[in-house]
Amino acid sequence: MKKLKLIILLVLITFCHWSCKAQEQPNIIFLFCDDAGYGDFGFQGSDVMKTPNLDKLANTGVIFTQGYVTDATCGPSRAGLITGKYQQRFGYQEINVPGYMSENSKYLEDDMGLPLDQKTIADYLKTQGYTNAVYGKWHLGNADRFHPLKRGFDEFYGFRGGARSYYGYKNFDGVHHDNKMERNFENFEEPTGYATDVFADEAVNFIERNKNNPFFIYLAFNAVHTPMHATEEDLKQFPNLKGKRKEVAAMTLALDRACGKVMDKLKELGIDDNTIIVFSNDNGGPTDKNASLNLPLSGTKSNHLEGGLRVPFLMKWPRKFKAGTIYDYPVSTFDLLPTFYAAAGGDVADLDDVDGVDLIPFVNGKNKERPHEDLFWKKDVRAVYRNNDWKLIRYADRPAELYDLSKDLTEQNNLASEYPGRMKTMFKKLFEWELTLERPLWTLKQDFEKYDIDRMDRYRSPELVKEEMKQYIKEEKSKLKQ
């Protein structure tokens, strides 16, 4: 009898321990948008976009003024954030989109995905007792072995590829398998509503079902990536805008509404106080594709100017972070894995060779240093090395450039000729970093390199962007008169 009582006591103690730990562990929600412009949010200074919910998140949380992604394109950016490291270290240097790859990479179509030996955020959080879900765009491999349910997630509703319709397909004729919407594993289930709203509804449902235990939601919207699909109701909210600019504004409004649904549910259930919410974007906006604006930054998606790499970046955790905090040192999306893991109660020393750092002590002011003195980016020959506020950009078709971002945010004053010593030192440091990388597992067709460079030159400065937008508005008005 005494032995039975002892066993019962031990069970109760263990249950109490895990119950108390679960109550202390924060829920974690990562709101991730796609191809949005750096300046296309109210909290970023836009007087055109309507983003009240995200503006509220910014006002009640932390704004990182120098938030970066690990790549200026969708797939590699996701690979870096979900593993907490430079994706080039395991050969994930290019996007994984069939049809875009070089001829000698065609045989790799089903092999293009996050290598199976790489651990994800979800893998690590699962060890801390979290239930994990991903809704929306995956884009980390189309083959079954790369599926979210095999990468640490417990639930998935979305599509495996890089872009698709915001509405359900009536039939799948001609639709690539990676663009079909599916629930969990191969249960194809096309949405009956607008995808941005549907993904938010899925997240809300998950929150209701898991409110009593710690959870992680990776809510990866495909908004505002092309195709340019917006609801009539949202379009009506922007009567003074025309063409794609009107469409991207309506799509951003839907994105904001979706984020608001999730945040409102947390408050309704009384768990918002101990929930970490992060909002960011996968890369700079492709102005020529969806009329997004990265102002005041130069550049766009797929190039290495600030407009391609710097993104909106918000974080809220009421129990730990002071509302209205502005954090000015550079951070990266690969910092999210160690930050989430530490918040969940894990020891970051146990993480497997990550490049990111736990941001909590930096945001709280316990650590006054920079989270990163050095940051790197690379795609083929093109590469970037940022050392504190100095930024070196290396090209294939022109001499390298050097900028002091503390004085020249728009990257208009090339200082390469004035600081030859610094250029030499930074070139060597960049090369030393490259020696630690794996060869790319697959590569893009070379003509896309020209496209990326041409796009960069087209949006080389804020003045060029403003002139192009003026011309665009003029052309749209002309079309309406016709």
Side-chain angles (χ1 to χ4, degrees):
M1 190 68 178
K2 289 183 178 179
K3 187 175 181 180
L4 178 61
K5 288 182 178 179
L6 180 60
I7 293 173
I8 293 173
L9 180 61
L10 289 173
V11 170
L12 289 174
I13 291 173
T14 302
F15 176 79
C16 181
H17 169 75
W18 283 105
S19 177
C20 292
K21 182 179 179 181
Q23 292 173 9
E24 293 173 359
Q25 291 174 299
N27 303 306
I28 303 170
I29 299 177
F30 181 28
L31 306 170
F32 200 44
C33 63
D34 193 352
D35 278 11
Y38 180 80
D40 278 344
F41 299 92
F43 65 87
Q44 293 288 84
S46 176
D47 57 2
V48 173
M49 300 297 178
K50 299 178 180 180
T51 56
N53 293 297
L54 291 172
D55 295 347
K56 183 178 179 180
L57 177 63
N59 291 333
T60 56
V62 181
I63 298 177
F64 294 87
T65 60
Q66 297 193 68
Y68 286 96
V69 286
T70 62
D71 192 81
T73 54
C74 301
S77 173
R78 284 167 167 74
L81 78 88
I82 208 163
T83 60
K85 64 178 70 173
Y86 291 110
Q87 65 280 355
Q88 296 93 341
R89 291 178 55 202
F90 48 87
Y92 205 118
Q93 188 177 134
E94 308 285 7
I95 59 175
N96 52 317
V97 180
Y100 286 72
M101 314 317 293
S102 62
E103 294 300 317
N104 61 358
S105 294
K106 280 187 176 179
Y107 74 97
L108 289 171
E109 179 172 330
D110 282 341
D111 292 328
M112 290 189 293
L114 186 70
L116 300 181
D117 61 349
Q118 297 300 314
K119 293 182 179 179
T120 71
I121 293 176
D123 287 326
Y124 282 112
L125 289 179
K126 187 173 283 292
T127 67
Q128 299 301 306
Y130 277 66
T131 302
N132 307 311
V134 55
Y135 301 111
K137 173 177 172 176
W138 179 237
H139 208 195
L140 287 170
N142 302 333
D144 288 350
R145 62 185 176 281
F146 301 124
H147 194 278
L149 267 60
K150 295 189 176 183
R151 309 313 298 265
F153 290 96
D154 301 290
E155 290 192 17
F156 171 59
Y157 179 79
F159 58 102
R160 304 186 194 186
R164 59 153 285 149
S165 169
Y166 285 72
Y167 296 99
Y169 294 114
K170 294 181 179 179
N171 63 70
F172 289 137
D173 292 342
V175 177
H176 198 277
H177 70 86
D178 63 324
N179 288 332
K180 297 176 183 178
M181 204 79 80
E182 66 174 282
R183 182 178 299 282
N184 293 328
F185 211 112
E186 295 183 340
N187 297 313
F188 297 113
E189 187 178 310
E190 285 295 288
T192 56
Y194 186 66
T196 304
D197 291 318
V198 171
F199 293 145
D201 292 340
E202 291 288 335
V204 165
N205 179 272
F206 178 87
I207 293 170
E208 290 176 333
R209 289 184 283 113
N210 294 274
K211 61 186 176 183
N212 295 321
N213 295 294
F215 60 78
F216 167 54
I217 299 175
Y218 173 34
L219 184 46
F221 296 103
N222 55 321
V224 293
H225 194 292
T226 55
M228 304 301 289
H229 291 169
T231 68
E232 287 299 321
E233 292 77 9
D234 290 336
L235 287 168
K236 289 177 182 177
Q237 301 303 310
F238 302 92
N240 297 324
L241 298 181
K242 308 298 179 185
K244 287 183 180 180
R245 190 61 180 158
K246 181 170 185 170
E247 290 170 328
V248 77
M251 294 167 76
T252 302
L253 177 62
L255 169 70
D256 181 82
R257 177 176 63 247
C259 293
K261 286 182 184 179
V262 174
M263 291 186 283
D264 288 345
K265 177 55 64 173
L266 295 172
K267 187 173 183 179
E268 175 191 322
L269 297 175
I271 57 176
D272 56 325
D273 186 54
N274 194 34
T275 297
I276 298 173
I277 302 177
V278 174
F279 173 79
S280 193
N281 182 43
D282 64 345
N283 44 246
T287 304
D288 55 341
K289 295 292 187 181
N290 66 1
S292 55
L293 291 180
N294 299 308
L295 299 177
L297 308 177
S298 300
T300 65
K301 174 181 179 175
S302 79
N303 62 66
H304 288 147
L305 295 173
E306 289 295 285
L309 300 171
R310 192 183 293 205
V311 293
F313 203 124
L314 307 174
M315 185 180 296
K316 178 184 177 183
W317 189 8
R319 284 194 181 180
K320 297 289 184 179
F321 300 150
K322 183 179 179 181
T325 299
I326 306 295
Y327 192 82
D328 289 324
Y329 283 143
V331 299
S332 172
T333 49
F334 66 27
D335 294 321
L336 294 179
L337 187 153
T339 300
F340 293 166
Y341 187 69
D347 184 348
V348 293
D350 296 333
L351 297 176
D352 187 16
D353 192 26
V354 300
D355 294 303
V357 301
D358 172 17
L359 295 176
I360 297 171
F362 294 96
V363 175
N364 282 340
K366 293 181 180 178
N367 190 329
K368 303 293 185 181
E369 303 297 318
R370 288 174 176 255
H372 305 282
E373 289 191 3
D374 300 316
L375 288 170
F376 300 92
W377 295 266
K378 176 178 170 60
K379 185 176 182 182
D380 290 332
V381 176
R382 291 185 289 135
V384 171
Y385 169 36
R386 174 167 175 166
N387 172 242
N388 293 323
D389 290 327
W390 289 92
K391 179 179 176 181
L392 168 72
I393 309 179
R394 188 184 69 197
Y395 300 98
D397 69 332
R398 67 196 69 184
E401 298 170 353
L402 180 69
Y403 298 101
D404 180 355
L405 294 178
S406 67
K407 301 175 182 177
D408 183 19
L409 179 63
T410 60
E411 298 167 284
Q412 302 301 298
N413 185 22
N414 180 10
L415 300 173
S417 62
E418 297 180 36
Y419 294 90
R422 181 178 290 276
M423 286 287 287
K424 182 178 180 179
T425 299
M426 293 184 73
F427 252 99
K428 285 183 174 292
K429 185 74 172 181
L430 175 58
F431 180 65
E432 289 173 4
W433 174 73
E434 288 178 305
L435 292 176
T436 69
L437 310 180
E438 291 291 337
R439 293 287 188 184
L441 294 172
W442 54 82
T443 57
L444 278 171
K445 294 178 181 177
Q446 276 301 101
D447 56 359
F448 285 102
E449 272 296 287
K450 182 180 186 306
Y451 174 78
D452 290 348
I453 290 292
D454 289 345
R455 176 190 259 172
M456 180 192 71
D457 289 338
R458 184 177 174 186
Y459 301 101
R460 184 74 219 214
S461 71
E463 286 69 28
L464 288 173
V465 175
K466 291 174 183 177
E467 283 300 316
E468 172 140 337
M469 290 304 295
K470 287 180 182 178
Q471 182 62 30
Y472 171 76
I473 293 171
K474 184 178 179 180
E475 291 174 357
E476 289 297 327
K477 288 181 177 179
S478 177
K479 290 178 184 177
L480 288 176
K481 290 179 180 179
Q482 295 174 5

